[in-house]
Amino acid sequence: MRLKNLLAWYLLPLMLLFSISASGQNIINGKIKNDNGDILPGATIQLKGTTNTTITDSKGEYALNVNQPFPWTITVSYAGYEDKEFAITQAGTNNFRLVEIGTLQSITFLGTRGRPRTEVNRPVPIDIIQAKELQNTGQIELGQQLQFASPSFNSAKYGINGSLVYANYATLRGLGPDQLLVLVNGKRRHQFSIPHIGFSIARGSVVTDLNAIPFLAIEQTGILRD
């Protein structure tokens, strides 16, 4: 009886060690390269049909440890290269090569979600901005709405005393504020009556107060592109 107990005490650690080593045998490693022999860092190696995934390091090396018996089917993928499947029958080193996707001969556009808003069939191209697009900016002043709707238009809010309290000075494509021509229904909009004497880009300018135009009365706005 004592002999059996001693054998049990010795055999139990050996069995545990054997089971740990057996489970650790399901490991594959190696390198991922392209046809020219260049390493591919960041390539993805995935055991097919599972979520077991690993990626290559900066040296193009990988290691995949999965508690699943062989054979395996793994998928190797990398941006700009064709995905490829490989059959693995045993643990050890497995190096793979991927083939680069050929250059596209043509690109076909089936549609777009954007609506063109530039009219080019005019003496000069103009961006047409509908009233709904202005209101969708979430702003309540026309100058701010145009600034959020067009990247070339800027309406600054200085927040200081003086004439800037009553009118925001707008610029178009970096031109001076007094060089901005504003037309309402084809007629020139009158300018503000006070010159700006503050220290800003608009110093000495007499400009048009865009915020005096109610945006709810606007159907659409056209901004000169060039």
Side-chain angles (χ1 to χ4, degrees):
M1 181 64 69
R2 186 176 180 181
L3 181 59
K4 291 183 178 180
N5 291 335
L6 290 175
L7 290 175
W9 279 104
Y10 282 108
L11 289 175
L12 182 59
L14 290 175
M15 293 176 63
L16 291 175
L17 182 61
F18 177 77
S19 63
I20 293 174
S21 61
S23 63
Q25 289 179 357
N26 299 337
I27 302 176
I28 62 172
N29 53 27
K31 290 186 176 182
I32 308 298
K33 299 181 179 181
N34 60 13
D35 284 341
N36 298 326
D38 301 325
I39 61 174
L40 299 177
T44 302
I45 301 92
Q46 181 177 11
L47 181 60
K48 187 176 181 180
T50 69
T51 58
N52 297 302
T53 305
T54 187
I55 61 174
T56 55
D57 58 16
S58 59
K59 298 180 181 179
E61 299 177 350
Y62 76 94
L64 183 62
N65 183 3
V66 182
N67 187 17
Q68 180 173 318
F70 293 103
W72 293 354
T73 300
I74 64 170
T75 302
V76 182
S77 59
Y78 189 76
Y81 290 77
E82 297 179 1
D83 297 351
K84 197 171 182 180
E85 293 185 354
F86 299 92
I88 308 298
T89 58
Q90 61 182 3
T93 301
N94 293 270
N95 299 322
F96 307 111
R97 289 180 180 265
L98 296 181
V99 179
E100 188 174 4
I101 299 176
T103 305
L104 297 178
Q105 299 298 325
S106 62
I107 300 177
T108 303
F109 292 96
L110 300 180
T112 177
R113 293 184 180 182
R115 294 182 57 189
R117 67 180 189 180
T118 303
E119 292 190 6
V120 295
N121 296 325
R122 293 181 179 230
V124 289
I126 295 177
D127 280 346
I128 303 298
I129 305 175
Q130 302 297 329
K132 188 65 175 179
E133 186 176 352
L134 294 176
Q135 297 173 19
N136 288 339
T137 61
Q139 304 299 313
I140 59 175
E141 297 178 343
L142 179 60
Q144 294 298 300
Q145 289 178 344
L146 292 174
Q147 175 174 283
F148 279 78
S150 177
S152 61
F153 186 92
N154 182 52
S155 178
K157 298 180 72 68
Y158 293 96
I160 60 178
N161 294 329
S163 61
L164 293 179
V165 176
Y166 306 100
N168 294 330
Y169 287 65
T171 61
L172 180 63
R173 297 190 176 277
L175 297 176
D178 53 353
Q179 296 176 316
L180 180 64
L181 176 62
V182 180
L183 302 178
V184 178
N185 293 334
K187 297 182 180 180
R188 182 168 182 168
R189 175 74 177 181
H190 63 78
Q191 292 181 316
F192 199 55
S193 59
I194 303 175
H196 173 48
I197 58 175
F199 293 93
S200 70
I201 190 176
R203 182 176 176 83
S205 300
V206 179
V207 299
T208 304
D209 183 12
L210 292 175
N211 295 333
I213 304 174
F215 70 88
L216 291 177
I218 295 177
E219 179 180 355
Q220 67 180 24
T221 303
I223 299 181
L224 187 68
R225 283 188 58 91
D226 300 315

